[in-house]
Amino acid sequence: MARYVPSTELVERVISGETAAIARLISRAESGIPEAREGLAQIYNRSGKAHVIGITGVPGSGKSTLVAHLAHLLRARGKKVGIVAVDPSSPYSGGAILGDRIRMTELAMDPGIFIRSMATRGAMGGMARAALDAVDVLDVGGFETIIIETVGVGQDEVEIARASHTTVVVSAPGLGDEIQAIKAGILEIADIHVVSKCDRSDANRTLTDLKAMLTLGLSGATQPAWRPLIVGVSSVNGQGFDDLMSALDKHREVTFGTELGRDRQLKIADFRLKKTAENLLLERFNNASNGLSRPLAERLRSREADPYSLANDLVAAVMKEEHAHEPF
Ligand SMILES: Nc1nc2c(ncn2[C@@H]2O[C@H](COP(=O)(O)OP(=O)(O)O)[C@@H](O)[C@H]2O)c(=O)[nH]1
Ligand SMILES: [Mg+2]
């Protein structure tokens, strides 16, 4: 059997952009194995160069198709593009979207594009942590633009889209609610709003409604440093993609060149730090509580005490045990 390559030995190969090493380190990050942490820790100070774009919106709004289109355009500019799809239903593993226009398999064969689907729900260590670790690996592997596609339903998914430099919220005509982002509660997280499927005649209505909604939301008192842009696109005829590309460029400049961008990066770092700590806490709690919970459970079963007091006792016992051993 092949030798298990320690994660720290993958680091040099990730830095040189070797696809197999990148894929391997991402897999280990995703599965949350402790051994991967040393490798991930080693690459961290080399990351931070890539522009990270989060794309969210309800299922069927056209996110994956849009991502494929964007990836093509970025490749045409000579950029390496990483795609992290936090949605197992994303069709990146093969097949065709929009007939023969955009073949995902074609994208997948281009070494300048790395596509990773993460079905991390329930995976050890949490989705957000895993997705952001994957972004670092790609960043260090030389991918200049990294796109995270997440479904705009579910708190974790929305948080991941927020934890990117530039958040794009996609709304589509013909999905019932004209602006699905309102219903999903994600309207306000957008730096850029995209109305997709603008080849359809009902797209104008969605655009108009969205503009009206956003005008309503403006306070008018202060000039915001960034006012969300609205772009209509069609992945069928390519309409609007030039505008979308320049909106992304503009926001990229804000991210890397302004106080606002610095502030955003700090918020992302704070989110990430807490998520990672949360994962560590949970892991340690689970390890320690295994041996401690049984007697308390017996008291709960016999209704000697209520679940809240006993849970308090369990937490206290775990913390005491933690203190007795090595620190965090
Ligand atoms: N007419 C039209 N259909 C589109 C466009 N983009 C995506 N679609 C269709 O919308 C459906 C959902 O697309 P998909 O990219 O999988 O959406 P996702 O669930 O948000 O990732 C598919 O049937 C696509 O073919 C577009 O620009 N115009
Ligand atoms: Mg999708």
Side-chain angles (χ1 to χ4, degrees):
M1 222 180 87
R3 180 177 76 98
Y4 181 88
V5 181
S7 295
T8 49
E9 280 180 35
L10 292 173
V11 169
E12 280 306 316
R13 291 160 58 189
V14 167
I15 293 167
S16 69
E18 193 194 303
T19 308
I22 290 170
R24 224 162 179 189
L25 194 54
I26 290 178
S27 294
R28 290 184 190 174
E30 188 179 3
S31 64
I33 53 167
E35 196 278 321
R37 289 174 199 159
E38 214 174 315
L40 293 166
Q42 278 182 18
I43 64 163
Y44 185 73
N45 72 351
R46 288 176 174 268
S47 67
K49 296 190 215 50
H51 182 206
V52 185
I53 302 168
I55 298 194
T56 191
V58 300
S61 55
K63 298 180 296 299
S64 298
T65 315
L66 178 109
V67 169
H69 221 99
L70 267 182
H72 270 294
L73 292 174
L74 288 161
R75 283 303 288 146
R77 282 188 182 181
K79 302 271 187 209
K80 285 177 79 181
V81 184
I83 300 171
V84 179
V86 188
D87 176 6
S89 72
S90 282
Y92 293 113
S93 51
I97 295 192
L98 294 174
D100 281 336
R101 277 188 166 272
I102 304 167
R103 281 211 172 267
M104 288 299 183
T105 41
E106 190 185 300
L107 279 184
M109 264 153 42
D110 178 347
I113 294 188
F114 186 99
I115 303 170
R116 185 48 169 261
S117 287
M118 288 193 154
T120 34
R121 186 167 288 294
M124 259 260 294
M127 258 196 309
R129 184 206 46 76
L132 294 175
D133 282 350
V135 166
D136 280 350
V137 176
L138 289 168
D139 186 338
V140 170
F143 291 85
E144 294 143 302
T145 305
I146 299 162
I147 304 173
I148 311 176
E149 177 192 338
T150 78
V151 181
V153 284
Q155 194 190 332
D156 288 349
E157 288 83 350
V158 173
E159 274 180 342
I160 294 169
R162 266 185 110 150
S164 57
H165 299 140
T166 304
T167 305
V168 176
V169 174
V170 182
S171 302
L175 289 181
D177 250 22
E178 279 313 315
I179 304 157
Q180 305 95 32
I182 300 173
K183 211 169 169 189
I186 52 175
L187 195 70
E188 67 286 349
I189 71 166
D191 301 302
I192 299 169
H193 287 278
V194 166
V195 171
S196 62
K197 312 188 188 181
C198 278
D199 50 282
R200 293 174 51 136
S201 56
D202 47 354
N204 260 335
R205 169 84 199 283
T206 310
L207 266 170
T208 317
D209 286 357
L210 188 58
K211 280 179 186 153
M213 282 301 308
L214 293 175
T215 316
L216 274 180
L218 287 179
S219 66
T222 51
Q223 187 72 18
W226 177 264
R227 187 166 284 180
L229 300 170
I230 305 174
V231 187
V233 305
S234 164
S235 298
V236 171
N237 61 28
Q239 168 199 343
F241 273 89
D242 285 345
D243 291 342
L244 178 56
M245 289 284 273
S246 52
L248 290 168
D249 284 340
K250 222 166 145 187
H251 199 265
R252 184 186 181 285
E253 279 165 28
V254 169
T255 299
F256 290 103
T258 68
E259 267 310 298
L260 186 74
R262 213 186 121 95
D263 198 51
R264 170 73 163 260
Q265 297 203 44
L266 182 61
K267 281 192 184 121
I268 295 169
D270 192 58
F271 167 76
R272 184 171 187 184
L273 187 59
K274 284 175 182 157
K275 277 287 160 189
T276 309
E278 199 178 276
N279 293 164
L280 283 183
L281 265 177
L282 203 59
E283 185 183 293
R284 298 180 81 119
F285 174 82
N286 287 335
N287 288 340
S289 67
N290 277 340
L292 297 167
S293 62
R294 247 348 230 281
L296 295 169
E298 181 49 39
R299 291 175 62 201
L300 184 62
R301 187 202 61 77
S302 63
R303 293 195 156 63
E304 210 178 298
D306 68 281
Y308 297 98
S309 339
L310 288 167
N312 248 327
D313 291 351
L314 180 58
V315 170
V318 166
M319 284 170 80
K320 205 170 148 207
E321 172 117 334
E322 277 283 326
H323 273 295
H325 299 303
E326 90 256 48
F328 268 91

